[in-house]
Amino acid sequence: MQELSGRTRQLVFASMRRFADLVADEPDAIILTIGQPHFPTPAHIAEAAKRAIDEGFTSYTPNRGIRPLREAASAYYERFTGHRYDPDREVLVTVGTTHAIDIAMRALLAPGDEVIIPAPAYPGYEGAVRLAGGHPVFVDTRSTGFLLTPDALRQATPRTKLLILASPANPTGAVYSEDELSALARLCVERDLYVLSDEIYAELQFDGSPASISRMPGMRDRTLVIHGLSKSRSMTGWRIGVAFAPAPIAAEMAKGAQFSVSCPSSISQMAALEALTCGHEDSRPMREAYRMNRHLAVQALRGIGVPVVEPAGAFYVFPELPKALSLTSDAFCEALARESHVALVSGTCFTRYGEGYVRISLACPPEALQEALGRIARFVERRRQG
Ligand code: PLP
């Protein structure tokens, strides 16, 4: 038999669910692992999908998505950030943000092109970069509040083509200010870098308005903005993302979309249209719930001497394990799952720079979070006593 493709063989499955699997049969298990909002999709959005089915809106759509949705996405983004994208040439509806990232990489990267990824990082970026033949370069942000600094970006080599920036970021909840983005943008222009700006958690930023690097001088033509409804509207299973990109890049991405998926689900597109036209307030109660859970988690963790940078957005906390425990992230998560029936994600899921950390999802009822934090506190106490 001939060998299978090296492109996929070099990839490994992200181990997000590894510790959840360990507690699957425990009736008192608390699972704080994958990035799944605990709210249902808002009812008016689900109703729009049902109407689409009843009215027979069940055929192929244009590769870039239906025009009303592209218009709504463009208007939504303009209202949110003041930046307008042409619905005909610069907006693409994709099968989740994951698909947008994939076709962006295929459009941009040539074999061997380097991509700077601030780490700890969401594992989807590495996979997409590698599938497109690119080479991920992880830059350690642990000593700078999980934010990429201009000094760190100076590590870009002549082979660097792209920077991936997420704000708010997964797994750290880090958010970039206008000033921080503007300093990075100057370097991107100087070094002729493209930027993929992953803004999927923008509506879940706790304070202030989200800033986008796409708005900085000289950046519009070199930035691809990636958005989606999975997190902000609790629509992970509907698989709808949106990409805003300069027309020549959007055209290449549309080819990628044509040959990989043809188009996103027509039914999900009608749901997304409803979300982006009539659902502007939908994310507010979710954001407030995550904000309260953030407070619970940060207080409880600091109370037991576990250092944690307060996340400024998204729905995760990413605490550092106390050195005195002498446990790797994987060992901590495994022992916590087996002994206390609480499942977290090991920091190592987010590159090697996540070693020494764990990710706790805040997307759960506060009572469950409180119970989990209590169990974590008792577990840490037992380990400290040896
Ligand atoms: N980007 C980030 C930072 C994420 O955390 C995720 C999912 O966890 C995605 C993109 C992909 O989201 P989706 O494909 O559901 O839109």
Side-chain angles (χ1 to χ4, degrees):
M1 299 278 268
Q2 298 198 49
E3 283 209 347
L4 301 182
S5 159
R7 287 253 163 104
T8 47
R9 272 192 302 143
Q10 66 180 326
L11 304 180
V12 286
F13 276 106
S15 52
M16 280 308 170
R17 294 170 195 256
R18 178 171 156 202
F19 301 104
D21 291 345
L22 286 184
V23 298
D25 295 330
E26 305 296 346
D28 65 341
I30 304 178
I31 299 181
L32 304 175
T33 53
I34 59 167
Q36 173 60 54
H38 62 300
F39 296 95
T41 299
H44 70 107
I45 298 177
E47 284 304 323
K50 290 182 201 163
R51 269 197 313 277
I53 297 173
D54 290 342
E55 291 168 9
F57 192 73
T58 53
S59 314
Y60 288 127
T61 75
N63 304 131
R64 291 173 185 241
I66 54 173
R67 192 166 196 286
L69 178 53
R70 281 181 276 127
E71 270 169 25
S74 170
Y76 156 83
Y77 196 67
E78 187 175 7
R79 200 169 36 248
F80 203 46
T81 65
H83 212 145
R84 179 160 176 81
Y85 283 87
D86 177 351
D88 290 321
R89 299 164 61 241
E90 298 180 314
V91 181
L92 252 99
V93 182
T94 56
V95 181
T97 308
T98 303
H99 179 223
I101 296 169
D102 182 41
I103 54 178
M105 296 303 148
R106 291 174 198 261
L108 282 177
L109 300 180
D113 280 344
E114 290 179 359
V115 179
I116 291 193
I117 306 178
Y122 166 63
Y125 304 137
E126 174 175 0
V129 168
R130 290 197 189 280
L131 275 175
H135 179 64
V137 177
F138 297 109
V139 175
D140 185 6
T141 61
R142 288 173 297 181
S143 63
T144 49
F146 300 123
L147 294 171
L148 181 74
T149 61
D151 270 350
L153 184 55
R154 288 200 178 84
Q155 293 176 26
T157 72
R159 288 197 307 278
T160 309
K161 189 181 258 181
L162 173 69
L163 162 67
I164 298 184
L165 211 58
S167 180
N170 171 11
T172 61
V175 164
Y176 290 84
S177 68
E178 293 265 349
D179 287 349
E180 285 156 347
L181 290 176
S182 149
L184 291 173
R186 278 196 296 277
L187 260 178
C188 290
V189 173
E190 190 185 305
R191 301 287 178 99
D192 189 21
L193 301 182
Y194 288 105
V195 176
L196 184 136
S197 178
D198 184 345
E199 302 177 18
I200 188 172
Y201 292 101
E203 283 182 59
L204 301 178
Q205 179 169 324
F206 296 122
D207 298 301
S209 343
S212 173
I213 197 165
S214 64
R215 300 187 65 209
M216 306 298 159
M219 290 307 294
R220 193 184 192 287
D221 287 346
R222 55 179 72 250
T223 307
L224 289 80
V225 174
I226 303 291
H227 243 283
L229 295 170
S230 288
K231 312 294 178 171
S232 63
R233 314 301 171 93
S234 194
M235 291 179 68
T236 52
W238 299 81
R239 310 308 302 131
I240 292 290
V242 182
F244 302 99
I249 301 177
E252 295 306 302
M253 289 171 66
K255 288 186 211 163
Q258 172 169 21
F259 294 113
S260 54
V261 296
S262 185
C263 64
S265 145
S266 57
I267 300 156
S268 294
Q269 289 189 64
M270 290 309 273
L273 178 59
E274 170 71 19
L276 290 179
T277 47
C278 303
H280 296 155
E281 293 302 311
D282 287 341
S283 55
R284 188 194 294 266
M286 304 186 199
R287 184 172 59 244
E288 290 316 308
Y290 302 142
R291 185 201 299 277
M292 281 164 58
N293 278 355
R294 169 186 68 159
H295 180 73
L296 280 181
V298 169
Q299 293 283 104
L301 292 165
R302 288 184 181 161
I304 56 167
V306 172
V308 57
V309 176
E310 185 175 71
F315 46 70
Y316 313 102
V317 285
F318 197 62
E320 187 176 356
L321 299 175
K323 305 267 179 299
L325 299 182
S326 303
L327 286 172
T328 62
S329 299
D330 285 9
F332 179 95
C333 289
E334 176 155 358
L336 183 73
R338 290 195 192 283
E339 291 174 30
S340 308
H341 302 169
V342 174
L344 306 179
V345 182
S346 166
T348 53
C349 194
F350 308 100
T351 77
R352 68 177 185 282
Y353 296 119
E355 178 55 86
Y357 295 79
V358 293
R359 189 186 79 174
I360 304 176
S361 169
L362 301 174
C364 63
E367 302 75 29
L369 180 64
Q370 202 119 40
E371 170 63 23
L373 291 164
R375 292 190 206 173
I376 293 171
R378 291 191 289 279
F379 173 84
V380 167
E381 194 49 37
R382 282 199 300 279
R383 290 286 156 155
R384 276 201 177 113
Q385 285 166 0

